[in-house]
Amino acid sequence: MEIDPQNIAFLPVYPLPAPQPPAEPYDVHRDAHTPLVIDNGSTNLRWGFATSDAPFTGLNAVAKYKERRTNKPLLLFGEAIDAESGAKSQTRTPWEGDVLLNFDALENALDFAFVHLGIDTPTVDHPVIMSERLCTPLHSRALTSELMFELYSVPKLTFCVDGVMSFYQNHLPAPNTPFTSDGLVLSFNTNSTSVIPILSGKGIMSHAQRIPWGAAQSSEYLLKLIQLKYPTFPTRVTNLQTNWMLRKFCEFAPDYPSLLKSLKDPLNLRASEQIIQFPYVLPVQEEKTEEELARIAEKRKEQGKKLQEMAAKNRQEKLVQKENDLQYLLNLRDERGTESKREWANKLSNEGFDNDAALDDTIKKLEAHVKRARKKEAGETIDEPMEDPTFPLVDVPDEELDEESLKEKKKQKLMKAGYEARLRARKEKEREREERERELRLEQEEREQDLEGWSNKLKGQQETLMAKIKERGRRKNALSDRKSAAAQARMKNIANLAADDRVPKKKRKGGGEDMFGADDADWQIYRKINIAAPSSDEEDDLAQLQAIEQKLLDHDPSFTHQHTHASINSQKSALVSAFRPLYDEGDVQGHTRIHLNTERYRVTEAYFSPSMAGVDTAGLGEVIQNILARFSEEQVKAKLVSNVFLTGAPSQLPGLIPRLHNTLRPILDPDMRINIVGAGDAGLDAWRGMAKYARTGEFDINAVSKAEYEEWGGERVRRWWGGNRTGSSG
């Protein structure tokens, strides 16, 4: 199989985890009450002071681990978990899906963040702005507030929605000017995707919606598709690897149905594929020198010679044994006249013979065997005429025979019947051979007289057989569908057989008889209902088809291998081969490759059609349409769609903007302008927007103080343009 090396990607080699870069000295912020900005994402935790240009980032996961050598308990955070193989099984994250639930893990993560920033005071004497999910449950917010106020004693706390703050960062107002931008925010998160309308700088949270599909679900969906496509893949595919494939190779199709139609062409499917090469180990093949090969050949030759000598010795021993047995039986036969009849019968019985004829027959066989063996040993050719067997007792009347002779007569009758049957079979084979030779001679004469007519006749037979095979396959496929007419007819036949009412009871009482089976066609019913049984007709048709095609290939120059049944079937299976190419049995490198083609677009299309991945929810296009339908004024809709803002790491996948444009265009007025833009830095803009907001005077007004927390409780938040508005008003 020819594969472009440039189309092969290798799994990345992840570097060893490195410690976080050191923070600036804490003395700068010790008494300045600089706000702390914490973007609590379900994948990454970003933290830092509001005056910093960029945050510190780490995987939002912790693991409690006991070091083996010193037996000391360790608390690992982020990438440090990968440094200890035993700690991976103890990993915990603060998030369960899209809900904040594990507050022990959150506490450990915040401990690391505060220690890394150099905070060495008993309490965290800094205002905190912290992100939360859209429509966060009151329980999660209350426990987070309790953690921040009770454990860390922060003076003020503000919750905000990360998607809105990313929008704020990309639409910063002028200094001392209120935030009044309009737009429709599409926030692509790890476990969900949120759509938030913003008017005059305020998030309309009552109209915001969220779908339970994000990067984690896409990565898991891609993993399932790969497992379904490669059920016997030799290497374990992990979520980390599929997440890398999702970010590097997957993209949105502007028109997914049209793309699938174009990928029906195997060439287009091959052109769209991306190959991922997994690690593999080639089998070690020991190469031997010419001297070693010659030595091995000589050794095998000696071993063969020894085996031949042993076989010759065994044959000689068996021949000597048979000669001794023959001499013993000849001596026994010579004693026949010296013994009485009773004594002779007893002696024969003791030697294992029923009568004199059995003894003579055994002697005759031994003499023939010894004679052939001696001639073969001497190198002489064995050419003995075949003697016709004789059956002297068959024509003798039973009255003239005694009991022993009657048994022998019965035996000779059976032997004569078998011999005559063999003669008849031999004559029948000879007649069939002559008939075939005659047909071949006639066919050759016909071919020499009219090659074109002979070829057309065979091509017609080929088409007829191919049509029969195709119809048989079509019927077999139809039987696999229980709703098809063929499957329903099969079930009806089974029901009729089970009912056993082919003969009415009255006819049975009156001597009626069930005639099922009298006609050979009756037994075809069992072939119709047993779809798994192999068909002899199909095997005969295939054999006849191969014979016809071989004749055409031998004598008709216009008939090539492209016209054979196997070639036509292989052309139909070219699409399957392009979808998942097959490699030779010994190709270790090929068997450790994954070919991504339709999966590259199918995974991302699940954002717009989650039902294709088994998630019963509306897609992104339908959610946007529902949100826009809640605004009756066309001017408001125009403000929203003229500034569709994309944020979050999955929003960086290629093709998202054209796909959204094709989704929005049919549901809007033709004159309404659509403008879709992405965040400047989809991963960090939310944190930067929070930092910019924390440096404004509005931050102190909208923050909840510790006194207000003690009075109202942890579920209470203030209404402001960047936070969730589902809690109690303040």
Side-chain angles (χ1 to χ4, degrees), residues 80 639 656 682:
K639 289 181 180 180
L656 177 57

Side-chain angles (χ1 to χ4, degrees), residues 45-217:
L45 179 70
R46 301 177 181 90
W47 68 93
F49 288 105
T51 55
S52 302
D53 295 331
F56 298 100
T57 303
L59 292 176
N60 199 356
V62 296
K64 294 181 179 180
Y65 174 70
K66 183 172 287 188
E67 209 274 332
R68 295 181 180 177
R69 288 176 295 181
T70 61
N71 203 28
K72 292 182 179 180
L74 300 177
L75 181 61
L76 304 178
F77 171 79
E79 296 179 350
I81 298 175
D82 296 332
E84 296 287 349
S85 59
K88 294 181 180 180
S89 60
Q90 307 295 328
T91 303
R92 296 187 63 195
T93 64
W95 296 86
E96 292 289 344
D98 209 34
V99 181
L100 188 61
L101 287 179
N102 299 325
F103 291 92
D104 290 340
L106 177 61
E107 178 185 346
N108 295 330
L110 292 176
D111 287 343
F112 177 85
F114 295 151
V115 170
H116 178 258
L117 291 175
I119 300 176
D120 53 4
T121 57
T123 61
V124 179
D125 192 16
H126 297 273
V128 175
I129 179 170
M130 192 173 187
S131 65
E132 64 178 2
R133 284 289 175 270
L134 178 68
C135 304
T136 295
L138 297 181
H139 173 74
S140 298
R141 183 183 298 122
L143 291 181
T144 306
S145 299
E146 179 182 346
L147 182 67
M148 300 302 293
F149 285 115
E150 300 290 346
L151 180 62
Y152 299 109
S153 299
V154 299
K156 290 183 179 181
L157 176 64
T158 298
F159 291 106
C160 62
V161 179
D162 53 357
V164 178
M165 300 314 296
S166 179
F167 181 80
Y168 174 77
Q169 167 65 17
N170 286 266
H171 300 82
L172 287 174
N176 301 323
T177 303
F179 177 56
T180 58
S181 298
D182 302 320
L184 188 66
V185 177
L186 274 63
S187 180
F188 293 81
N189 300 318
T190 302
N191 291 286
S192 65
T193 302
S194 304
V195 183
I196 307 171
I198 297 179
L199 292 174
S200 300
K202 294 182 180 180
I204 313 300
M205 299 303 175
S206 59
H207 291 18
Q209 294 187 16
R210 183 178 68 183
I211 61 175
W213 187 268
Q217 287 74 20

Side-chain angles (χ1 to χ4, degrees), residues 157 324 537 661:
L157 176 64
N324 295 334
D537 295 342
H661 191 278

Side-chain angles (χ1 to χ4, degrees), residues 489-533:
R490 173 176 173 268
M491 294 304 298
K492 186 176 180 181
N493 291 333
I494 294 175
N496 291 337
L497 289 174
D500 195 21
D501 56 354
R502 292 179 295 275
V503 178
K505 293 182 179 179
K506 292 183 179 180
K507 289 187 177 181
R508 290 179 187 175
K509 293 180 180 179
E513 184 179 357
D514 186 359
M515 298 301 296
F516 179 82
D519 187 359
D520 291 341
D522 294 343
W523 301 103
Q524 295 294 327
I525 186 66
Y526 294 106
R527 179 174 294 179
K528 291 181 180 179
I529 65 176
N530 188 7
I531 59 176

